């Protein structure tokens, strides 16, 4: 690929100065938003160079979010797979415990970074999109913490499906705006947030929840989330004296995955698996696996793999996990997929549900359904790797929010 | 029917957009630029609505390409996009409509307006070939800023199709040269920082903006967003080279369905008359 030959020494130097990761990324927004996008980029470059910005970010990460999150040896899950695996197989499994963060997921890492940028830019109002409500809750949390009014755009269907998170956002002082256009889910919430933003650019900061959207969002969200991988790297070196052999993370937009992967991209001995939501199965067409079942296109400000038809109309995604139920993926993942640095594996709703229950029973941890997709990849990976190998799985969020969905899927009335 | 225009000056004789604006200028009025969504409420109805636009006096016609995710559009055009897609409007059907229009009304420039993904789905070359061979004069790609021009601009320009640029209230003096670099056809001034079809900008801010843009470019400047009434059109038409009306027409189509063409024709006539009188009558 041209992309790697222009930067032969590092896979961590993307995007280029136009926000492109190879053929992906970019700034596909209306002219009204372009000046703001350029301002944001300038402000982000300045913030990166500013020790005071980093100090404030680090302090909030420690005292407000509760970082560093532990790297936890999942002993019983390791034993489970060793018992199932052929002799000599069954690697050590570690969890990066992002579910222990304040608000229960990795989302808060990015929200802290972006609200500090919003303050630097003098913006006085916050907006965000949300699907399951995790990013909405995290955004409402930082808006409350900094005393900024906040409007969360959420598909009307998701408002109905995720009532506890809607109430959490309201408790935190956010206005929740149900979006009735389109399919009334995450993609439509993002459209509506963009429509709000284009009319309010003078005072409003849009906290995008994942490594997608126009440049510089994929870059800055990745950088804020890289705290996950930077910590994991330090922690595994301390525990094991070496780097892991495989990293596994679920990919919707892909922010928890890129956060774990990015600090390791230049370590060729570290393999990486991103897990896409295959819903009822990629072959059924009812899935959210943009890389395994989509094609490159342009949506929400960036060029990336998308679920779309032959005329470029975006098709509906499906996943049991609301957080993965999006027809696109962050552009850096599209690039990492095309150059082959990261393997992207589809996992179905049913496989994720099995992994969800296994993790509850063996480790005493209720994972988010998103994270359960990552755990499901262990069913193949943990059986084929040698027992002296090490896997780190990103447990990106806790599953309390998902118990109603899981009960429903298991046919249990609660 | 539209008669062949007489044009003075150096506008290329094949450039229908330049001719349309020149004709309006020679008649002492702003050009009327009108928008409808292709396939709303049906492909057959779109043909009748397009005829009504021309018969009512439209100088330039923008044909909206429906998209599932029209994030720069307000409720009226969003709904039109969904109605059109629900009717099964394909890219092939849009080009069929365009071909019919360009053959029937060879002097009225047709501009395709839409979002990048449907335009680029089969590649820029494919789209540009289709546009050029169909007779399309220009393309407005809402989510393709100058920074991403190379995705589509060169392919269109090589084939003589204009990629029409947009300027907005947020396009400041420092940025304007980037917007104008490579701009052709006309410059579309989006007078409101917002989505289509809602509020109209204050007249004074439109006047300031048009003056600023005209000082920076020789291209005709057409002003759009939120213009509905003949009075609003006339006020804008006193200062701008063109007046763009979209959501108001789309609303008529939504409200009147199969009966829309007659309503649209009457409405467009009222706008044309207002523009024709705007620079002659009493100044507001």
């Amino acid at each position: 690929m041209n992309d790697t030959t222009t930067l032969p020494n590092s896979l961590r130097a993307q995007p280029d100065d136009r926000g492109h990761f190879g053929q992906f990324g970019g700034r596909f927004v209306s002219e009204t938003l372009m000046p703001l996008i350029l301002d944001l980029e300038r402000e982000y470059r300045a913030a990166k160079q500013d020790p005071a910005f980093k100090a404030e970010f680090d302090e909030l990460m420690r005292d407000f979010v509760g970082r560093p999150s532990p790297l936890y040896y999942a002993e019983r899950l390791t034993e489970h797979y060793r018992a199932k695996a052929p002799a000599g197989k069954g690697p050590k499994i570690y969890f990066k415990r992002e579910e222990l963060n304040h608000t229960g997921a990795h989302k808060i890492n990015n929200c802290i970074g972006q609200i500090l940028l919003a303050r630097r830019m003098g913006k006085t109002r916050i907006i965000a999109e949300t699907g399951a409500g995790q990013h909405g809750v995290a955004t409402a949390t930082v808006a409350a913490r900094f005393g900024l009014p906040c409007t969360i755009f959420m598909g009307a269907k998701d408002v109905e499906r995720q009532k506890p998170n809607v109430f959490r956002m309201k408790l935190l002082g956010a206005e929740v705006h149900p979006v009735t256009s389109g399919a009334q889910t995450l993609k439509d919430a993002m459209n509506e947030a963009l429509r709000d933003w284009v009319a309010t650019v003078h005072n409003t900061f849009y906290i995008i929840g994942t490594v997608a959207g126009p440049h510089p969002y994929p870059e800055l969200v990745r950088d804020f989330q890289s705290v996950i991988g930077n910590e994991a790297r330090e922690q595994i070196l301390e525990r094991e004296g070496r780097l892991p052999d495989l990293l596994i993370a679920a990919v919707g937009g892909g922010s928890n995955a890129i956060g774990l992967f990015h600090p390791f991209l230049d370590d060729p001995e570290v393999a990486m698996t991103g897990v896409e939501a295959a819903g009822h199965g990629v072959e059924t067409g009812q899935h959210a696996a943009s890389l395994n079942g989509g094609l490159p296109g342009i949506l929400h400000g960036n060029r990336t793999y998308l679920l779309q038809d032959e005329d470029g109309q975006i098709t509906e995604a499906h996943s049991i996990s609301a957080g993965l139920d999006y027809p696109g993926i962050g552009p850096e993942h599209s690039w990492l997929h095309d150059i082959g640095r990261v393997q992207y594996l589809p996992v179905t709703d049913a496989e994720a549900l099995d992994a969800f229950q296994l993790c509850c029973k063996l480790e005493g941890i209720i994972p988010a359904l998103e994270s359960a997709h990552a755990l499901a990849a262990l069913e193949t990976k943990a059986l084929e790797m040698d027992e002296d190998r090490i896997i780190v799985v990103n447990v990106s969020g806790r599953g309390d929010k998902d118990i109603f969905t899981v009960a429903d899927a298991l046919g249990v009335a609660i | 029917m539209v008669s062949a225009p007489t044009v003075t000056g150096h506008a290329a004789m094949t450039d229908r957009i330049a001719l349309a604006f020149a004709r309006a200028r020679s008649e002492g009025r702003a050009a009327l630029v009108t928008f409808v969504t292709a396939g709303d409420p049906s492909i057959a109805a779109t043909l009748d609505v397009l005829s009504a636009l021309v018969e009512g006096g439209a100088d330039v016609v923008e044909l909206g390409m429906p998209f599932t995710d029209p994030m720069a559009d307000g409720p009226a055009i969003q709904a039109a996009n969904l109605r059109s897609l629900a009717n099964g409007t394909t890219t092939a059907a849009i080009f069929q409509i365009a071909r019919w229009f360009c053959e029937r009304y060879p002097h009225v420039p047709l501009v395709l307006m839409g979002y990048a993904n449907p335009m680029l789905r089969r590649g820029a070359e494919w789209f540009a070939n289709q546009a050029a061979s169909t007779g399309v004069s220009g393309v407005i790609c809402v989510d393709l800023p100058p920074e991403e021009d190379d995705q589509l601009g060169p392919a269109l320009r090589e084939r003589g199709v204009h990629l029409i640029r947009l300027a907005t209230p947020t396009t400041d003096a420092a940025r304007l040269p980037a917007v104008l670099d490579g701009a052709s056809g006309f410059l579309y001034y989006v007078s409101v920082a917002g989505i289509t079809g809602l509020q109209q900008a204050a007249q004074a801010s439109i006047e300031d903006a048009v003056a600023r843009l005209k000082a920076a470019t020789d291209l005709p400047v057409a002003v759009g967003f939120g213009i509905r009434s003949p009075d609003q059109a006339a006020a804008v038409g006193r200062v701008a080279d063109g007046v763009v009306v979209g959501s108001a027409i789309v609303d008529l189509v939504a409200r009147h369905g199969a009966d829309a063409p007659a309503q649209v024709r009457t409405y467009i006539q009222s706008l044309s008359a207002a523009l024709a009188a705007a620079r002659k009558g009493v100044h507001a």
Side-chain angles (χ1 to χ4, degrees), chain B residues 7-183:
Chain B
V7 170
T8 52
H10 59 275
M13 291 308 288
T14 54
D15 186 343
R16 278 170 284 186
I17 291 177
L19 290 169
F21 278 95
R23 184 176 62 232
R25 191 182 316 123
S26 72
E27 293 171 10
R29 61 178 178 86
L32 178 58
V33 182
T34 57
F35 172 95
V36 287
T37 299
D40 172 34
S42 67
I43 288 167
T46 298
L47 303 183
D48 292 339
V49 171
L50 289 170
S51 291
L53 295 176
V54 177
E55 289 158 12
D59 297 290
V60 178
V61 170
E62 295 176 357
L63 184 63
M65 296 178 63
F67 183 40
T68 40
D69 294 82
M71 53 260 190
D73 283 300
I77 295 178
Q78 284 177 45
N81 277 254
L82 294 182
R83 285 194 300 270
S84 171
L85 292 172
N87 291 331
T89 305
T90 60
T91 302
I94 294 163
F95 278 114
Q96 280 167 13
I97 296 171
R99 183 179 302 280
W100 173 89
F101 183 90
C102 295
E103 284 171 1
R104 178 151 185 178
Y105 301 107
H107 304 298
V108 182
L110 187 74
V111 173
L112 289 177
M113 180 163 185
Y115 292 82
N117 201 49
M119 291 184 185
L120 295 173
R121 176 66 180 82
R122 294 175 178 85
E125 301 289 317
W126 182 89
F127 182 76
N129 275 336
Q130 288 289 308
S133 67
T134 303
V136 167
S137 295
V139 170
I140 300 174
C141 186
V142 175
D143 51 349
L144 194 88
E147 282 76 0
E148 302 291 349
D149 181 83
D150 60 358
Q151 299 277 331
L152 182 60
L156 289 173
R157 287 189 288 269
E158 275 165 27
R159 291 163 180 81
V161 179
H162 298 292
L163 180 60
I164 289 152
R165 289 278 173 75
L166 301 109
T168 71
T170 61
T171 310
D172 60 18
R175 178 166 173 76
L176 187 56
V179 170
L180 293 174
D181 181 25

Side-chain angles (χ1 to χ4, degrees), chain A residues 375-390:
Chain A
L375 292 165
L378 292 169
E379 289 290 327
T380 49
K381 298 294 176 187
L383 299 182
E384 63 194 32
M385 288 171 66
D386 292 344
E387 63 184 9
D388 61 351
R389 303 277 132 176
I390 299 167

